[in-house]
Amino acid sequence: MQNILSVRNLTKKFGHLTAVKDLSFEIEKGNVYGILGPNGSGKSTTLGIVLNVVNKTTGEFSWFDGNTSTHNALKKVGAIIERPNFYPYMTAIQNLKLVCKIKEVSEIKIEEKLELVGLLERKNSAFRTYSLGMKQRLAIASALLNDPEILILDEPTNGLDPQGIHQIREIIKKIASQGTTILLASHLLDEVEKVCSHVVILRKGEKLYSGRVDSMNATHGFFELKTTQKEALVAYLKNHTSFAEIKEDKSLVTAFLKEEMSAEVLNRSLFEKGIFLSHLVKRKESLEEQFLSLTNNQSN
Amino acid sequence: MIRLLQIEFIKLWNNRASKVLIIAYFTLLTFISLIAAIKFDLGPLKFHFAEMGIFDFPYIWHFNTYIAAFFKLFLAVVIVSMMANEYSNKTIKQNLIDGLSKWEFIYSKFLTVLVFSAISTLFIFVVSLILGLLYSSYNELGIIFSDLEFILAYFIKLVAFFSLCLFLGILVKRSAFALGFLILWSIVEQIIFGVLGWKITSWETATTIKSLFPLESMANLIDQPFSRLSVVQNIGDQLETDLKFDYAVHSYEILIALAWTAIFIYGSYALLKKRDL
């Protein structure tokens, strides 16, 4: 698989503060990556370094197996960092023409990309007259002008209203479905969970986890159960070797699995014991729960 | 190179304020020719600039480049703000992310400075040539095309001055403050000169040191042309004062100005390279 970006032992210090600490990860073609982490965990700094706007203190990074210089590699990358930055006095078209000149690509895709983000009608309005949502969508159009090998988005929905957030997510999903590699930095977990296949989790500049979203947590999920025969159920579960922990909350019993077991199997064996369920759900921990447990574990 | 110039052209030409200032600047350069029309008629005292010999070849090259150099302040505003606005709009960050290298960024600005200076120089050359052909008392080819080093000096003066503007724009990051700093610096140069001559060295040594300062070195390229005028020389003779001085463009003056240009451009690059955006 083609390597798009590799980061090795990257460290960035701002005076005494270490924003990024010995960070290493790889970005491979075709996957959708999320960089997760609370505010101030070094997400934007890391992206700033690989995008040539922040100087690294130590460590290495290379684009496309290190075959090109960083600024030439960036011509094959589409990136939006924090706020959309354009020339306020220029129209959408003029701004995008400028980007085409910088990226050395032809201008024929401008209209197509404006159409994709729904800004074609406002193409001749000055950038300063745009709402924040429109500015962010123009930034996405601009990042797509070169049909990039990888699209990097840093907090793309920050500060947007629900409608704006929805529009941006739809666009990201559309792009992801076309097979573009995406690197999405966010502190919004559901956002990452909805689109990403891989995650890198950062806290205070250190990597806590990197890998597939679904193998992030070694647990096998848990059952949520309800029954009128609660005592019998709890007793059965506690004696069962497949369960690690049983939690009771009013009528709801939550049983955490130690090993793989399907809902069907549990249901049948409970039925055979004469325990009848009114509610049975098998769930994996959400990314949010996994993330919180991961960041909490490490802080102790 | 063409690509970098196109990039700057899109940025500048779509900005109304820059466009107005650029047009105003070149209009004013053309208006130098209007000096020809200035006539004072105060009874016995008749005064007509065109007849005082200011448009005589080769003096006109000296006079016009000296006067035209004052208008450079208009372009200075444009150049300082084209740099500082990249910071205030944060577009410099986006430019780099889009794949412009830091050197290309500085180089595109410097190319713009070169183009502005070249067009100004061409302008002043053509305007002076026409004025001279109309009003000059001498029109032998040899005389017309003598003293052209003032045209070269004018070009270098503009390049050096605009490079300083670029440097201040990137150093201070805000156009108004950068322009304030430029004025402050011109005063500081004089103060250092004053202190040097008054307390530390002789006035002669102080003058030599002063000629190494950036703004002073640019000013020295084209000395004031007025005491060269025959009218003024005559008054000097009558008052028995010697008004003759060294007005020529010296190669070491050009070298000093070019050295500052290199320092400013490299300094801008070094600043950009060192900073986190």
Side-chain angles (χ1 to χ4, degrees):
Chain A
M1 195 172 281
Q2 197 195 334
N3 209 327
I4 290 192
L5 171 67
S6 62
V7 172
R8 287 179 298 276
N9 309 106
L10 202 64
T11 298
K12 172 66 186 177
K13 288 182 181 160
F14 293 107
H16 290 294
L17 180 89
T18 306
V20 178
K21 205 168 175 180
D22 203 27
L23 181 66
S24 305
F25 63 88
E26 306 270 318
I27 301 290
E28 280 164 356
K29 196 175 169 64
N31 295 329
V32 179
Y33 290 84
I35 297 189
L36 275 176
N39 291 328
S41 57
K43 301 186 296 284
S44 298
T45 309
T46 308
L47 293 182
I49 293 171
V50 299
L51 292 174
N52 200 19
V53 292
V54 176
N55 296 314
K56 60 181 196 252
T57 309
T58 56
E60 292 297 325
F61 66 90
S62 60
W63 285 100
F64 306 110
D65 297 317
N67 294 328
T68 45
S69 65
T70 302
H71 77 94
N72 274 325
L74 291 181
K75 287 174 188 158
K76 294 193 274 178
V77 173
I80 308 162
I81 279 208
E82 290 154 359
R83 302 248 140 186
N85 302 319
F86 289 101
Y87 296 87
Y89 50 86
M90 277 156 55
T91 66
I93 291 271
Q94 288 167 340
N95 269 302
L96 293 187
K97 277 186 178 166
L98 183 66
V99 175
C100 285
K101 276 271 173 299
I102 293 178
K103 288 193 177 287
E104 296 182 278
V105 292
S106 87
E107 294 172 0
I108 48 168
K109 295 233 161 125
I110 291 180
E111 301 252 330
E112 176 197 325
K113 301 303 176 189
L114 282 174
E115 170 104 64
L116 176 76
V117 299
L119 281 176
L120 203 51
E121 284 165 29
R122 292 290 304 274
K123 66 178 181 181
N124 287 320
S125 313
F127 176 70
R128 63 166 174 270
T129 64
Y130 280 20
S131 71
L132 182 59
M134 293 165 76
K135 287 178 177 175
Q136 195 65 280
R137 280 186 279 148
L138 180 64
I140 293 181
S142 152
L144 291 173
L145 278 175
N146 52 346
D147 288 319
E149 299 268 344
I150 177 170
L151 180 65
I152 297 180
L153 303 158
D154 187 6
E155 309 281 6
T157 57
N158 224 2
L160 297 183
D161 57 16
Q163 204 189 357
I165 293 175
H166 181 72
Q167 285 170 331
I168 298 287
R169 281 196 190 150
E170 287 305 307
I171 294 170
I172 295 176
K173 276 186 204 164
K174 206 191 279 182
I175 298 162
S177 69
Q178 290 162 359
T180 308
T181 311
I182 296 181
L183 179 59
L184 174 69
S186 181
H187 60 266
L188 300 172
L189 295 139
D190 56 336
E191 194 164 281
V192 172
E193 192 169 24
K194 274 176 190 149
V195 290
C196 297
S197 57
H198 291 68
V199 278
V200 176
I201 298 184
L202 299 180
R203 200 176 130 268
K204 291 185 183 164
E206 282 184 279
K207 183 174 79 177
L208 298 184
Y209 175 82
S210 88
R212 297 191 63 85
V213 175
D214 42 23
S215 58
M216 189 170 135
N217 205 324
T219 63
H220 300 277
F222 57 90
F223 288 110
E224 283 179 350
L225 308 162
K226 274 185 192 172
T227 177
T228 47
Q229 305 145 276
K230 198 173 152 196
E231 273 105 68
L233 174 67
V234 172
Y236 171 79
L237 292 174
K238 278 187 174 163
N239 287 326
H240 201 293
T241 51
S242 299
F243 294 99
E245 194 189 351
I246 314 296
K247 276 188 190 163
E248 292 175 61
D249 180 25
K250 289 176 191 160
S251 63
L252 186 76
V253 176
T254 313
F256 292 89
L257 278 166
K258 260 198 292 203
E259 55 191 36
E260 197 48 54
M261 180 194 275
S262 72
E264 214 176 1
V265 171
L266 179 69
N267 198 12
R268 187 183 301 128
S269 45
L270 285 173
F271 183 80
E272 283 160 4
K273 294 276 172 196
I275 301 169
F276 302 101
L277 296 170
S278 59
H279 174 91
L280 166 65
V281 177
K282 188 186 176 190
R283 280 183 51 199
K284 284 259 184 186
E285 282 92 339
S286 72
L287 196 56
E288 185 167 339
E289 286 158 327
Q290 296 182 50
F291 175 69
L292 287 176
S293 76
L294 205 54
T295 45
N296 283 336
N297 285 344
Q298 303 280 331
S299 62
N300 295 332
Chain B
M1 205 174 98
I2 299 292
R3 163 177 161 256
L4 295 178
L5 276 174
Q6 281 172 332
I7 289 172
E8 279 314 306
F9 181 78
I10 296 176
K11 291 178 189 171
L12 274 179
W13 203 245
N14 289 315
N15 186 336
R16 197 178 299 143
S18 302
K19 195 151 81 176
V20 168
L21 276 174
I22 293 169
I23 294 172
Y25 168 76
F26 285 110
T27 316
L28 280 172
L29 275 190
T30 327
F31 278 7
I32 286 189
S33 52
L34 287 184
I35 298 174
I38 297 175
K39 278 183 199 173
F40 293 106
D41 204 351
L42 307 165
L45 199 65
K46 281 198 170 61
F47 213 67
H48 186 189
F49 269 122
E51 283 161 12
M52 280 170 65
I54 61 167
F55 294 131
D56 282 346
F57 288 117
Y59 179 73
I60 187 172
W61 300 124
H62 187 177
F63 182 80
N64 275 4
T65 48
Y66 181 79
I67 298 294
F70 285 102
F71 297 121
K72 69 181 185 291
L73 283 171
F74 281 87
L75 275 195
V77 176
V78 173
I79 286 163
V80 164
S81 57
M82 87 180 179
M83 200 56 143
N85 282 347
E86 301 271 11
Y87 272 100
S88 43
N89 294 332
K90 288 196 172 181
T91 41
I92 180 170
K93 202 168 165 179
Q94 196 61 46
N95 281 179
L96 297 182
I97 291 172
D98 285 338
L100 207 63
S101 74
K102 287 183 175 177
W103 171 247
E104 278 179 329
F105 184 83
I106 299 290
Y107 190 47
S108 70
K109 303 285 182 198
F110 182 58
L111 282 176
T112 314
V113 161
L114 286 183
V115 167
F116 272 138
S117 308
I119 298 178
S120 307
T121 308
L122 189 70
F123 234 75
I124 217 63
F125 176 77
V126 172
V127 168
S128 305
L129 191 65
I130 293 171
L131 277 179
L133 289 176
L134 286 176
Y135 294 103
S136 174
S137 325
Y138 318 97
N139 38 27
E140 295 88 15
L141 272 181
I143 294 180
I144 290 177
F145 293 109
S146 57
D147 277 8
L148 276 180
E149 65 267 23
F150 284 106
I151 294 289
L152 174 72
Y154 177 71
F155 176 71
I156 298 203
K157 184 174 178 165
L158 290 188
V159 171
F161 182 70
F162 295 150
S163 302
L164 169 64
C165 294
L166 277 189
F167 178 70
L168 287 180
I170 208 163
L171 180 73
V172 185
K173 299 187 206 170
R174 281 183 183 69
S175 22
F177 286 113
L179 287 169
F181 198 83
L182 183 64
I183 295 165
L184 182 72
W185 179 249
S186 66
I187 298 168
V188 167
E189 277 192 9
Q190 299 306 320
I191 293 175
I192 297 177
F193 167 65
V195 171
L196 275 178
W198 181 41
K199 287 282 177 195
I200 301 165
T201 59
S202 67
W203 285 105
E204 260 176 37
T205 323
T207 312
T208 315
I209 296 174
K210 186 190 181 191
S211 68
L212 292 170
F213 295 163
L215 283 174
E216 190 64 25
S217 73
M218 295 166 205
N220 280 343
L221 281 172
I222 303 174
D223 298 300
Q224 57 85 8
F226 305 112
S227 36
R228 252 181 101 185
L229 271 178
S230 59
V231 185
V232 182
Q233 290 287 351
N234 290 341
I235 297 170
D237 288 347
Q238 280 163 21
L239 298 175
E240 291 177 353
T241 26
D242 189 12
L243 283 173
K244 289 186 173 58
F245 79 115
D246 182 12
Y247 57 80
V249 182
H250 294 287
S251 49
Y252 66 84
E253 289 172 337
I254 289 183
L255 276 179
I256 297 171
L258 285 179
W260 278 114
T261 309
I263 291 170
F264 291 137
I265 296 303
Y266 183 75
S268 308
Y269 176 57
L271 267 179
L272 182 62
K273 212 172 153 185
K274 201 170 135 269
R275 274 189 192 148
D276 291 327
L277 293 165

